[in-house]
Amino acid sequence: RPPPADAGSGPVGSCGRRAYAPPAERKRFYQNVSISQGEGGFEINLDHRKLKTPQAKLFTVPSEALAIAVATEWDSQKDTIKFYTMHLTTLCNTALDNPTQRNKTQLIRAAVKFLETDTVCYRVEEPPALAELQKNEWDPVVAWVEKRYNVTIGSSTSILGPNIPASTKETFVSHLASYNMWALQGIEFVITQLKSLILSMSLIDRHITVEKAVLLSRLEEEYQIRRWGNVEWAHDYDLCELRARTAAGTLFVHLCSESSTVKHKLLQD
């Protein structure tokens, strides 16, 4: 008898712990993947079985586009199901099960707290070449975010980091409050990948690409690799994995924001 149609590991949380431990690879037990619309949203069907979350809840997503994207993840699995490649599925599982039992306010505060240790705010003084690289690559993004949100961020070479004004934090709190719970789960996931709220918002606002955001988040590492070389395969694998997770998180945010954005525009009209 095939295993039940429930699966998925959760993304890494802001404290480094996983919402769900990733299961071992499982032999593919279904032939066809489809979506259907139910009372609570769009569902994923593996043959005639409804997909369930790790907590045995019905796997239901808020938009058809997201359902299609998740179904594509399941359909693309070959002989074995590699759960660690199914980032959209794991994000949906986390949004549905909410294993850490956080509310919207807690999610927003956790995201904004990353400003205190934001990657692009911490600068070096030595070596001069790296300091110059950080200035040339990071300053334009920080300046864009400051203008976009009308905030002050700055940077610092102190181990304590820059002194982020309370007004800046409150501005981001207000902005993030405009997103729904699902999108906020995706935003926090992207932030934990890039270790930067600034890069994450620039990416989600479509100011920079996934490739650019990942490169900027790894600037010091890329500098060291160019100088000293890299471990064969390891660097490319890590880079591709980070791009995949960041891209999935960004897509998740947009697909989860889609329906609420459309409704908001209709109400305005």
Side-chain angles (χ1 to χ4, degrees):
R1 182 179 178 181
D6 58 354
S9 60
V12 178
S14 58
C15 294
R17 58 180 180 274
R18 288 186 177 273
Y20 303 107
E25 292 181 10
R26 177 183 296 177
K27 185 177 180 181
R28 177 165 171 161
F29 56 89
Y30 54 90
Q31 295 296 320
N32 301 306
V33 184
S34 61
I35 66 171
S36 57
Q37 188 167 11
E39 291 184 4
F42 294 88
E43 302 164 359
I44 311 297
N45 307 302
L46 306 180
D47 292 333
H48 301 296
R49 300 176 181 84
K50 298 288 187 185
L51 186 63
K52 300 289 184 64
T53 71
Q55 292 185 12
K57 295 179 183 176
L58 182 63
F59 191 102
T60 307
V61 301
S63 76
E64 184 177 15
L66 180 56
I68 292 171
V70 171
T72 301
E73 281 190 335
W74 285 87
D75 196 41
S76 66
Q77 302 301 305
K78 304 302 181 184
D79 296 332
T80 57
I81 307 170
K82 296 178 171 61
F83 295 111
Y84 53 84
T85 68
M86 303 168 71
H87 304 302
L88 293 174
T89 299
T90 61
L91 280 164
C92 290
N93 281 329
T94 301
L96 287 164
D97 285 348
N98 191 15
T100 55
Q101 295 299 303
R102 289 182 297 171
N103 58 32
K104 187 172 183 177
T105 299
Q106 289 171 317
L107 278 173
I108 292 171
R109 292 294 179 184
V112 173
K113 189 171 178 59
F114 268 88
L115 266 178
E116 299 172 6
T117 55
D118 200 290
T119 295
V120 301
C121 292
Y122 279 82
R123 307 297 175 86
V124 299
E125 294 179 319
E126 298 290 341
L130 177 56
E132 186 68 17
L133 184 63
Q134 290 178 339
K135 176 179 172 58
N136 292 339
E137 296 292 337
W138 285 347
D139 278 4
V141 180
V142 173
W144 183 86
V145 169
E146 288 181 328
K147 182 177 180 181
R148 160 77 171 84
Y149 293 99
N150 191 26
V151 295
T152 300
I153 298 172
S155 62
S156 173
T157 56
S158 167
I159 193 171
L160 299 176
N163 184 19
I164 306 294
S167 58
T168 294
K169 295 179 182 179
E170 289 307 313
T171 295
F172 280 111
V173 166
S174 298
H175 175 72
L176 292 173
S178 66
Y179 288 93
N180 59 44
M181 279 285 289
W182 282 64
L184 285 171
Q185 295 277 7
I187 290 171
E188 187 188 28
F189 181 71
V190 174
I191 292 172
T192 59
Q193 305 312 308
L194 301 176
K195 304 296 186 292
S196 170
L197 174 66
I198 295 169
L199 292 177
S200 298
M201 298 316 300
S202 299
L203 173 58
I204 291 166
D205 286 344
R206 298 183 175 93
H207 176 62
I208 57 177
T209 64
V210 169
E211 290 78 12
K212 182 71 171 178
V214 168
L215 179 62
L216 292 177
S217 74
R218 293 164 52 94
L219 200 62
E220 184 171 356
E221 184 176 352
E222 294 295 331
Y223 169 81
Q224 298 295 350
I225 287 171
R226 282 195 225 109
R227 187 176 182 184
W228 303 108
N230 65 292
V231 178
E232 188 175 2
W233 296 109
H235 168 257
D236 291 339
Y237 178 81
D238 290 344
L239 185 63
C240 289
E241 274 293 294
L242 183 54
R243 282 177 179 169
R245 292 192 299 270
T246 303
T250 305
L251 178 61
F252 183 82
V253 173
H254 289 302
L255 293 181
C256 291
S257 304
E258 187 180 71
S259 58
S260 59
T261 302
V262 171
K263 289 177 182 177
H264 180 65
K265 287 182 178 178
L266 287 173
L267 287 173
Q268 284 186 323
D269 293 341

